Amino acid sequence: MSNESETEVDEETADEEEQAEGLQKGDVVKLAYTARTVDGGQLVDTTDEAVAEEDGIDTEQQEFGPRTIVLGENHIFPDVEQDIYGKEVGDEGNVTVAAADAFGEYDEEEVRTVSKDKIPEDDRYPGAHVDIEGEHGHVETIIGGRARVDFNHPLAGEDVEYDYEILEEVTDREEKAQGIIQMMLDMELDVWFETDTVEEEQLVESEDDEDEDEESEPEYETVEVEKETLYIEATPQLTMNQQWMMGKQQIAQQLTQLLDIDRIIVQEEIGGGGMGMPGMMGGMGGAGGADIEDALEDADVDAEEIVEEIEGAEE
C-alpha cells in the first residue's frame, strides 16, 4: 500500500509540474485573434485590420493590432484563457465559447414594453439603440404611446468561435504598463518607473504601551520610505477619456496590483520649461508636491499684495 501511495503522489507531482509549464495565470501576452459567431459568421472582434475591412467595418474609427492581456484577469473569455494556459509563444488555438459563457443566453423576459416618452425623439424608430434607466437596448416596435424594447445583448444566444495566435510574452515593465493601459483605455500613453524617497508619518510604538493611559494621544514620527512609482504622462486625450473620468480609482488599483507597485502619479507638463505638475490618483498615497501656501512663503511673496494688484488692474 505504501508503494502505491508514493506512486500516486509522484504522479500528482509530475502532473502539477507539467501543468506549470508554458504560459500561466499572471503572465502578460500579446494576442492576435478574430472572433465570429458560429451561426452566420458575424464578426464579433478582431485585431486584424484587413479582416475588419473585408467585413465592412470603418477602420478609420478605431485602431487595430495585437492586444495585450493579463492571463487570469478576465480580459478575454475564460474559455479562451483556459486554452492558452500551458502554451508557448507562437502557438495557435481555436476555441468555441458557448453563448452562456459569451454574451449570455437570449432571455425573452428582457424584451419589455416601456413608455415611448422614455426614448429621445430622435431614437423613436425600430432598430434604434437606446439607454433607458441605466439599461441599454434596441427598439423593436413603437405603437401609440408604447415602445417594445429588447434589452438583451445584441449577441445574446450566439456561440462565438475564437481563432488566436500567441505573438509575444511581455516581460518589460514599461511595455506591460503601456499594454494594460491601452487595453483599459484604448489609448497609448508615455509611462516610466521611478523609486522615490518620500516622508511619511508613522505611529510610534512604545514599549510601555500597556502601562500608558488609554486616553493619551498617540505619537507619530516622520520617516523616509521608498515608493516604487509608476508615472503616467497626462495628455488632453486622457483627461477627456470617459473610462478614465468614471473609473480612475479602479484602474489605479488594478495597475498597482498587476505591476506590483506602491503608487501611481499622473504628471502633466506645463509649458516648455519641463516643470511637472504631479497629480496622484486618489487612494494611492501622496503626490509629494509643495503646498501652495508654503511655496508662496518660500518665494517671499505676500498673497494679499497679489490680490490687491489684481483688483487694481481690473479697475
Side-chain angles (χ1 to χ4, degrees), residues 198-204 219-225:
V198 300
E199 292 185 346
E200 282 190 354
E201 296 293 316
Q202 290 188 358
L203 180 65
V204 177
E219 291 186 27
Y220 292 88
E221 63 178 350
T222 302
V223 298
E224 291 188 344
V225 295

Side-chain angles (χ1 to χ4, degrees), residues 76-296:
I76 52 174
F77 291 128
D79 287 350
V80 181
E81 277 189 335
Q82 289 297 325
D83 196 69
I84 292 174
Y85 289 145
K87 289 190 174 179
E88 305 284 352
V89 173
D91 287 347
E92 300 179 2
N94 175 275
V95 182
T96 297
V97 182
D101 299 320
F103 299 99
E105 298 285 7
Y106 191 83
D107 186 354
E108 293 288 351
E109 294 184 1
E110 288 300 308
V111 183
R112 303 194 295 270
T113 300
V114 302
S115 170
K116 78 171 185 179
D117 293 336
K118 293 184 176 181
I119 301 173
E121 288 188 19
D122 293 343
D123 294 327
R124 292 176 185 172
Y125 61 89
H129 288 268
V130 295
D131 291 299
I132 300 175
E133 297 178 351
E135 291 185 282
H136 185 77
H138 68 271
V139 179
E140 287 193 339
T141 59
I142 296 180
I143 301 176
R146 312 293 285 176
R148 193 74 170 161
V149 181
D150 186 349
F151 291 100
N152 283 288
H153 189 283
L155 292 171
E158 296 278 2
D159 296 338
V160 178
E161 184 177 20
Y162 263 83
D163 286 306
Y164 71 84
E165 180 181 1
I166 306 167
L167 301 180
E168 179 185 345
E169 180 179 2
V170 181
T171 55
D172 180 79
R173 295 184 74 197
E174 289 186 5
E175 191 176 352
K176 274 187 183 181
Q178 287 177 319
I180 295 170
I181 290 172
Q182 184 170 18
M183 177 193 59
M184 292 177 172
L185 303 176
D186 194 24
M187 62 191 311
E188 292 185 9
L189 296 171
D190 288 335
V191 302
W192 64 97
F193 290 90
E194 292 184 12
T195 301
D196 300 327
T197 301
V198 300
E199 292 185 346
E200 282 190 354
E201 296 293 316
Q202 290 188 358
L203 180 65
V204 177
E205 296 183 3
S206 173
E207 296 179 358
D208 303 323
D209 281 345
E210 296 181 0
D211 300 330
E212 290 183 359
D213 186 353
E214 293 182 0
E215 297 182 0
S216 62
E217 290 291 330
E219 291 186 27
Y220 292 88
E221 63 178 350
T222 302
V223 298
E224 291 188 344
V225 295
E226 289 189 343
K227 295 283 188 180
E228 184 71 9
T229 306
L230 170 67
Y231 283 86
I232 302 174
E233 183 178 357
T235 64
Q237 291 78 13
L238 177 63
T239 57
M240 297 295 291
N241 185 284
Q242 289 290 329
Q243 290 174 288
W244 171 253
M245 290 190 289
M246 300 297 293
K248 64 174 66 176
Q249 292 285 352
Q250 182 179 3
I251 293 170
Q253 291 173 359
Q254 287 182 314
L255 283 169
T256 53
Q257 293 171 1
L258 294 173
L259 298 171
D260 191 25
I261 55 178
D262 298 310
R263 62 179 192 165
I264 297 171
I265 291 178
V266 179
Q267 184 163 290
E268 180 181 11
E269 182 173 324
I270 306 298
M275 179 181 291
M277 292 295 290
M280 175 63 64
M281 289 186 184
M284 295 299 110
D291 184 90
I292 293 175
E293 293 182 1
D294 291 342
L296 289 173

